[in-house]
Amino acid sequence: MKGRTLLAVDWGTSSLRGAWLDARGQTVEERSFARGILTVAPGEFPSVFNSCFGDWMQKPDAFCLMSGMVGSKQGWLEAPYCTCPAGFTEVAANLAWVEPDRIAIVSGLCCENDGIPDVMRGEETQIFGALQLLGRQDALLVLPGTHSKWVRVQAGQIQSFSTFMTGEFFALLRQHSILSRTLPASDGEFDREAFDQGVALALRSSSLLHSAFSTRTLSLFDRLPAASLPSYLSGLVIGEEMRAQTWQAHAEVVIIGSESLTQRYQSALAQCGVSACRVGSEATWAGLWAIAQKLRPNLLKQS
């Protein structure tokens, strides 16, 4: 018997992506829009959703599962955080239903480190998807971005995670510090050598508060060309993130994200003597599909 097909949606702060998946979880079609939640006024989420995916939702037995900031207080419907440790089963049991049996939002996750809470929304779905794609139950993962997440998974459950404001600190230093007067207007082409130089300094430095100023002084003394400075600064902030990690013997890290960011993190990890494998945006669709499979048996069926 043919099962229900799934509309998988990743609705974040700045973008909206959707994929139509067939009854085997394979992508039939993808769409993307510059309609992140910050562009949607209160009460307009249903109309934006229908304008983007209304034709897909008219298909017989259509079902939609969404992840990301759409489940935040600023989103369509707040999906309460699910407490770690959490796996597919716990997340599937804590969905926030926009329309019963038709449209649901995946809850984010929360954990505590030394008595301080940490949260994620959307990354949990990518993590579950990566585990499915790689066939793993245990992993150390990093999800680079504005707020990078380092995540430990055991027995298929997210045990704990930590957030690093790496991308945001890069933007702040790039645009709003004294360094902005030295750096070129645009990032330009990636300079691998300058990036590696920044990572190396960060790994042997005591603090980014100290090492960041080298971006200015290397320019002042013509040690680095202006075009290389954005790559160098990127290496500094990512290297600082690496310096904060505690590596286990023979560790391997799973990196989930865009091609450009995962390449940088793989290079930085290599300087730490740590191997890595990379997973791209397909992790989101695999994660939403896997979560959907944990719902009651008749909701989605394999053909």
Side-chain angles (χ1 to χ4, degrees):
M1 181 174 68
K2 187 176 181 180
R4 297 180 70 174
T5 47
L6 176 70
L7 167 55
V9 173
D10 173 22
W11 204 337
T13 301
S14 58
S15 65
L16 169 60
R17 298 190 305 134
W20 188 253
L21 308 182
D22 65 20
R24 295 182 301 277
Q26 301 300 307
T27 301
V28 177
E29 183 182 349
E30 291 189 40
R31 296 175 183 174
S32 61
F33 308 90
R35 292 309 311 266
I37 67 163
L38 294 182
T39 72
V40 183
E44 292 186 357
F45 280 92
S47 62
V48 172
F49 177 82
N50 288 330
S51 68
C52 296
F53 306 117
D55 57 329
W56 284 351
M57 290 303 293
Q58 291 177 7
K59 297 178 183 292
D61 294 325
F63 173 66
C64 175
L65 194 57
M66 298 184 283
S67 65
M69 293 302 289
V70 66
S72 68
K73 290 183 178 180
Q74 296 77 36
W76 190 344
L77 176 68
E78 185 175 6
Y81 291 109
C82 185
T83 303
C84 290
F88 289 112
T89 301
E90 290 77 16
V91 169
N94 283 276
L95 298 177
W97 290 93
V98 176
E99 295 183 24
D101 294 339
R102 190 167 183 267
I103 303 175
I105 300 174
V106 177
S107 66
L109 297 186
C110 65
C111 71
E112 289 208 7
N113 299 307
D114 296 326
I116 304 298
D118 205 339
V119 296
M120 67 167 62
R121 282 197 188 278
E123 293 92 350
E124 73 293 322
T125 300
Q126 294 176 285
I127 293 162
F128 292 139
L131 294 175
Q132 289 288 105
L133 292 170
L134 297 172
R136 299 189 186 185
Q137 291 289 301
D138 304 279
L140 171 63
L141 309 96
V142 60
L143 295 88
T146 303
H147 298 152
S148 297
K149 308 286 184 180
W150 286 81
V151 186
R152 293 193 179 276
V153 176
Q154 293 179 334
Q157 290 194 318
I158 297 175
Q159 300 292 323
S160 63
F161 57 90
S162 298
T163 302
F164 292 79
M165 296 174 63
T166 306
E168 187 163 354
F169 266 77
F170 174 82
L172 289 170
L173 292 170
R174 176 82 173 85
Q175 301 167 16
H176 303 292
S177 75
I178 188 66
L179 304 182
S180 65
R181 301 183 182 183
T182 303
L183 273 67
S186 62
D187 288 349
E189 293 187 8
F190 176 61
D191 186 327
R192 172 68 177 271
E193 185 176 346
F195 174 82
D196 288 344
Q197 184 178 343
V199 171
L201 177 59
L203 291 176
R204 67 177 185 267
S205 175
S206 60
S207 171
L208 180 63
L209 295 175
H210 170 63
S211 63
F213 195 66
S214 66
T215 308
R216 178 168 173 78
T217 57
L218 288 173
S219 175
L220 286 173
F221 288 89
D222 296 322
R223 304 284 182 87
L224 272 180
S228 300
L229 294 177
S231 297
Y232 175 76
L233 180 60
S234 175
L236 283 178
V237 295
I238 291 175
E240 177 73 9
E241 185 178 326
M242 298 296 165
R243 193 173 65 83
Q245 309 308 316
T246 301
W247 307 112
Q248 297 178 351
H250 309 296
E252 182 187 51
V253 176
V254 177
I255 315 171
I256 307 173
S258 67
E259 181 76 10
S260 60
L261 274 179
T262 56
Q263 284 183 344
R264 295 187 189 206
Y265 272 68
Q266 188 170 31
S267 177
L269 284 164
Q271 288 203 43
C272 300
V274 178
S275 61
C277 65
R278 298 185 287 160
V279 179
S281 60
E282 69 274 11
T284 299
W285 312 143
L288 288 169
W289 177 257
I291 293 169
Q293 299 305 301
K294 292 297 181 180
L295 300 175
R296 52 191 177 281
N298 291 330
L299 186 58
L300 289 170
K301 286 185 176 181
Q302 299 279 16
S303 296

